[in-house]
Amino acid sequence: MSEHVVETVTHEFPDPRTAENVTYDPSLDDLRAFSEHLETTTEYGSPSYVSEFRSRSADRTKNSVDHEFTEADRERLSEAQERAHETELVCLDRMVGRHPETAFCCRLYVPKEYGRIALAWAKLLEPAPEGREPDFQTLQLPDHDDTRIRVDVDAGVTYVLGSDYTGEAKKSFLRLFMYRTKQQGGLGIHAGSKRVRVADESGDLQTVGQAFLGLSATGKSTLTCHGCWLDGPEGAEMLQDDVCAFLPDGTVAGSEGGGLYIKTIGLDADEQPGLHHAATRERAVLENVAVDEDGTVDFDDDTLTSNGRAVVRRDDLPSADEEIDLPDVDQVFFITRNPVMPPVARLTPEQAAVAFMLGESIQTSAGDPDEAGEAIRVVGTNPFIVGSEGEEGNRFHDLVAANDVDCFVINTGHLGSEAKDVGVEESVTILCEVARNSIDWRHDDALGLEIPEHVPGMDIEAFYPPDYVEDYRGELAAVRAERQEYLRQFEDLREEIRDAAY
């Protein structure tokens, strides 16, 4: 029997305030200077870097709740601690979350020459109060000869060994943020959140809280950050882009108060004006984006990777609100790219829990570049769940039911074999009209779901899935049977949820 790391390793990192090999809390300018040998300066004056690893190493990640650590793990983590006392490091303390119940101090150690990782990470979060001790710690050693990410969940410690991808540092803390939220009776969700103000049929303004669950690169940031083309007094503000804490009282608390870590491939100034604006500011940090020697940026060039990234500041995003917490969530949208699904469908709480468990989407380069474009299922569209996935589905059901949250599945891809695209204009129109409560719904026998009969400003009849799929009922029946079989693997998932498969 292999040994468990929490029984064999004491995490002893240098005290950043006294250790001679640690530069503690350097300025952003200093962090940029530490990695100037790796930088290409863009036409906007922002730094751009190319990393060796360009996506997360999911297949090399283990946590102490769901996996048993081996003797080799123990040895590598002990070696990493020794190196932490010998290597020139930078160390920063930042806060994940602002809500009193979900605010955690996070401490990151990285080698000084990789200050670019700390620079990008630091711009996502807000400084920790002076003297605050860390709740979570991450040691990232990119030049380690063996790639492995190991998370001691109870201790709140993550080791990122052998990867120089900034996303590993970012998710190391958000993974633990979500786990602690679950321990407190809530649920960590891989979601964006926004506040929408719209006028109803009487002209009265109403404020609606929306949350969006979706895998990276499926349109989550686009929909969350979109201003919805609303003019005052109507409007829409982005509160949070990536990870939130869904609390028992219906609050959706944010995690990152400083910036966003956005996908850049295909970033378009017309369809994503806010994100494009923020990514072309001097304060942005670009990672694995095509940049010529003269600094010219090409967001359409995927030569390096289709998982190009930019850290952008909230202050540079026109739709970003000062707040990151949504006091009351009214509507939750599951983003899918399943071609048999309509542009939008309304779900019961049980069906919403099914959608949560299915997590249907298309694999993107952020997860596994070798399988990009293939159909994929990720519970909660959240690759960072620690613990029982079935219990997460039960918890989600209870939270939306208790807080009377309306849930929807929204297709941001296409219908059939790419015969009919659902574009940003259609998706944004749907979001606005759902917020206005102006959509007429009908139950569709073929889908077994409620779909729109009428959507103001949109020819919804032109997006009826059976019109684009040969033998639609047969194909959907096969999909439904496969979904039911998939759900049976989650023994902890309640029966009434499994029975609601659509």
Side-chain angles (χ1 to χ4, degrees):
M1 179 72 67
S2 57
E3 296 181 84
H4 194 287
V5 68
V6 296
E7 299 174 345
T8 57
V9 175
T10 300
H11 310 289
E12 295 181 353
F13 299 145
D15 184 336
R17 296 177 177 86
T18 59
E20 294 184 359
N21 68 313
V22 179
T23 301
Y24 179 58
D25 199 23
S27 69
L28 298 179
D29 288 340
D30 285 341
L31 289 172
R32 182 171 178 177
F34 296 156
S35 290
E36 62 182 356
H37 59 293
L38 302 172
E39 175 186 327
T40 297
T41 304
T42 73
E43 58 189 297
Y44 313 112
S46 58
S48 177
Y49 307 100
V50 176
S51 60
E52 179 182 355
F53 282 69
R54 296 167 193 176
S55 62
R56 288 178 281 100
S57 299
D59 60 335
R60 302 185 185 186
T61 302
K62 294 181 181 178
N63 71 72
S64 60
V65 170
D66 300 311
H67 309 96
E68 187 174 13
F69 290 6
T70 66
E71 178 65 19
D73 289 326
R74 184 193 67 77
E75 293 175 356
R76 295 296 181 272
L77 300 193
S78 295
E79 292 170 2
Q81 289 185 64
E82 293 177 7
R83 288 190 57 192
H85 289 272
E86 301 168 353
T87 304
E88 287 292 310
L89 301 174
V90 295
C91 175
L92 290 89
D93 290 339
R94 289 291 188 270
M95 294 300 297
V96 165
R98 295 179 187 168
H99 192 281
E101 295 181 22
T102 57
F104 301 99
C105 180
C106 303
R107 176 168 291 173
L108 174 68
Y109 295 90
V110 297
K112 193 172 184 178
E113 64 181 302
Y114 289 95
R116 64 170 181 81
I117 297 174
L119 171 66
W121 178 77
K123 289 195 173 192
L124 293 170
L125 303 173
E126 297 170 303
E130 186 174 353
R132 172 78 182 255
E133 290 302 310
D135 300 288
F136 308 140
Q137 298 184 83
T138 293
L139 171 64
Q140 183 164 2
L141 299 176
D143 57 356
H144 198 277
D145 59 4
D146 181 15
T147 302
R148 63 180 71 200
I149 294 87
R150 298 294 181 266
V151 189
D152 184 344
V153 175
D154 291 336
V157 175
T158 302
Y159 295 79
V160 179
L161 308 180
S163 173
D164 62 343
Y165 182 53
T166 299
E168 296 285 12
K170 168 185 161 73
K171 290 301 185 184
S172 71
F173 298 108
L174 295 182
R175 179 188 291 112
L176 293 170
F177 167 86
M178 290 189 284
Y179 181 73
R180 292 287 178 89
T181 297
K182 184 164 57 174
Q183 287 183 309
Q184 296 172 6
L187 187 67
I189 54 176
H190 185 216
S193 63
K194 71 190 302 179
R195 184 175 54 235
V196 182
R197 292 185 316 283
V198 290
D200 60 21
E201 293 180 355
S202 302
D204 296 328
L205 280 178
Q206 53 185 341
T207 300
V208 178
Q210 296 180 335
F212 303 88
L213 280 74
L215 287 176
S216 297
T218 57
K220 178 166 58 66
S221 292
T222 297
L223 297 184
T224 302
C225 299
H226 204 289
C228 297
W229 298 301
L230 296 172
D231 297 321
E234 294 186 322
E237 295 87 29
M238 184 276 293
L239 301 181
Q240 194 63 185
D241 171 61
D242 191 21
V243 167
C244 300
F246 191 176
L247 302 181
D249 65 358
T251 298
V252 174
S255 59
E256 296 172 301
L260 290 71
Y261 188 55
I262 67 170
K263 285 268 293 186
T264 58
I265 193 68
L267 192 61
D268 184 87
D270 293 326
E271 289 204 339
Q272 302 153 293
L275 292 175
H276 188 275
H277 172 84
T280 54
R281 300 303 97 188
E282 184 177 358
R283 297 195 299 173
V285 179
L286 273 56
E287 183 178 55
N288 302 320
V289 176
V291 181
D292 290 341
E293 291 184 4
D294 65 358
T296 301
V297 176
D298 186 351
F299 291 129
D300 293 321
D301 187 338
D302 63 356
T303 302
L304 291 172
T305 176
S306 57
N307 190 37
R309 293 280 180 166
V311 170
V312 301
R313 297 289 292 172
R314 289 177 64 92
D315 293 347
D316 291 328
L317 189 64
S319 66
D321 194 76
E322 293 183 1
E323 301 297 324
I324 66 172
D325 296 340
L326 180 63
D328 294 290
V329 61
D330 300 293
Q331 299 166 348
V332 168
F333 296 85
F334 293 94
I335 301 174
T336 185
R337 293 205 167 169
N338 191 320
V340 303
M341 297 303 294
V344 66
R346 187 163 64 175
L347 308 173
T348 66
E350 291 73 26
Q351 289 172 334
V354 169
F356 180 92
M357 293 303 299
L358 292 177
E360 289 183 339
S361 191
I362 299 297
Q363 177 66 278
T364 72
S365 52
D368 187 342
D370 294 334
E371 297 180 3
E374 297 183 11
I376 185 176
R377 286 200 175 116
V378 179
V379 174
T381 64
N382 178 11
F384 312 100
I385 290 174
V386 175
S388 166
E389 294 176 320
E391 285 299 329
E392 296 242 340
N394 297 336
R395 180 73 57 85
F396 180 81
H397 171 273
D398 294 346
L399 288 170
V400 298
N403 291 283
D404 197 25
V405 179
D406 292 325
C407 296
F408 307 84
V409 59
I410 184 168
N411 184 356
T412 60
H414 58 263
L415 308 180
S417 301
E418 303 185 20
K420 185 70 171 178
D421 288 332
V422 184
V424 173
E425 182 176 353
E426 287 80 23
S427 294
V428 169
T429 298
I430 287 169
L431 297 184
C432 289
E433 299 309 320
V434 168
R436 296 184 201 276
N437 195 28
S438 62
I439 295 179
D440 296 325
W441 299 90
R442 68 176 179 84
H443 184 271
D444 186 86
D445 291 336
L447 286 97
L449 297 171
E450 283 193 325
I451 66 172
E453 187 170 35
H454 171 71
V455 178
M458 179 180 175
D459 181 12
I460 193 64
E461 292 183 0
F463 293 85
Y464 187 50
D467 293 342
Y468 301 96
V469 179
E470 187 176 352
D471 187 22
Y472 183 81
R473 286 183 179 271
E475 183 163 335
L476 190 59
V479 169
R480 186 176 293 119
E482 195 277 329
R483 286 169 172 167
Q484 291 170 338
E485 179 64 26
Y486 170 81
L487 292 173
R488 277 195 279 270
Q489 70 180 291
F490 303 102
E491 296 180 359
D492 294 337
L493 185 66
R494 291 200 293 263
E495 186 175 354
E496 63 266 28
I497 296 174
R498 290 199 299 266
D499 291 344
Y502 51 84

